[in-house]
Amino acid sequence: MLLEGGNVYWTPYMFYPIGVDLRWHSFSWFSIALWLPLQPLAGPLAAHNVTVLLTYVLSAYTAYSLARGVVDSRWAAMAAGLVFAFYPARQAHLNQLNLLSVEWLPLCALYLMRLTHLSRLRDGLGFGVALGLCALAGLHQLVLAGIWAVLWLACTVITERTRWGLNTLKAATVAVLIFVIIAGPLLLPVFRGLLEPDVMELGTGDTGEKRT
């Protein structure tokens, strides 16, 4: 549907001929964006394998970056990167890119910690980008990042409120704006679906009549 220019949140290939609403499907748009340009060059299987390998490289690097920002030991940070990239749960889901694509979670943590401690606009920009990439990697990744972010913010407000100031709020505003720009277009249909809790859109007929 994406290549055909149709509605990416609806497909006729499931529950044919009615079709099915995909707004709650576990897409990994970031992985799709990596796979699409590789597929015509290397074939679908090789493109998939490269995309999977990239999740390991990115996961190791982002976890290393987070650990390096917390501890002084480069070796400890390298160990953290390797553990995060190869922990057993990831090996159990090698065929599920939406579950493998956890590489942006450490960056969310790193930039939010910097934002609350240093109140720099560039850290707000980094957090907004990382959170947006979490959303593109999978909605469940966004949920995990959001839960951690709320807990971290609550903790810092209670224990480190003296660090908060106008610059912190500015950086947080930048983060929200960047996140909306990156993830907003893909999340908007999902939020619209939340306003229709009693309606499950299975598709449309040839006459445009909605079937429920």
Side-chain angles (χ1 to χ4, degrees):
M1 296 301 294
L2 184 64
L3 295 177
E4 296 172 359
N7 181 3
V8 296
Y9 286 110
W10 181 82
T11 179
Y13 301 116
M14 298 172 64
F15 295 101
Y16 181 84
I18 298 175
V20 67
D21 188 342
L22 296 177
R23 284 179 295 186
W24 310 111
H25 191 72
S26 54
F27 287 111
S28 180
W29 293 110
F30 180 79
S31 297
I32 292 173
L34 290 178
W35 179 86
L36 278 176
L38 293 173
Q39 189 270 337
L41 299 175
L45 181 57
H48 173 81
N49 290 340
V50 170
T51 304
V52 169
L53 289 175
L54 283 175
T55 68
Y56 282 89
V57 175
L58 291 172
S59 294
Y61 177 73
T62 56
Y64 167 83
S65 299
L66 172 60
R68 195 75 178 93
V70 176
V71 299
D72 293 329
S73 172
R74 186 180 300 272
W75 290 104
M78 291 177 62
L82 290 174
V83 169
F84 184 75
F86 294 97
Y87 67 90
R90 297 192 80 238
Q91 313 313 309
H93 299 286
L94 289 176
N95 61 335
Q96 296 174 286
L97 277 169
N98 60 310
L99 297 179
L100 284 177
S101 301
V102 296
E103 57 265 28
W104 307 117
L105 292 175
L107 281 191
C108 283
L110 175 63
Y111 281 111
L112 184 57
M113 291 168 61
R114 289 180 177 176
L115 187 157
T116 55
H117 289 160
L118 303 175
S119 301
R120 298 180 302 192
L121 290 180
R122 65 184 183 185
D123 294 323
L125 174 63
F127 178 62
V129 170
L131 194 62
L133 290 173
C134 272
L136 297 183
L139 287 180
H140 59 292
Q141 307 291 355
L142 176 61
V143 171
L144 292 174
I147 292 173
W148 184 89
V150 169
L151 292 175
W152 176 264
L153 290 174
C155 180
T156 55
V157 167
I158 295 173
T159 62
E160 302 176 352
R161 67 181 63 185
T162 56
R163 292 179 180 266
W164 284 67
L166 182 60
N167 288 336
T168 308
L169 296 178
K170 289 180 179 179
T173 301
V174 169
V176 172
L177 290 176
I178 295 300
F179 169 74
V180 170
I181 291 172
I182 294 175
L186 292 174
L187 292 178
L188 183 58
V190 177
F191 288 129
R192 285 177 177 172
L194 291 175
L195 301 178
E196 305 170 349
D198 298 326
V199 178
M200 180 178 178
E201 298 181 9
L202 294 179
T204 56
D206 295 336
T207 61
E209 180 181 357
K210 185 180 296 183
R211 302 181 182 181
T212 58

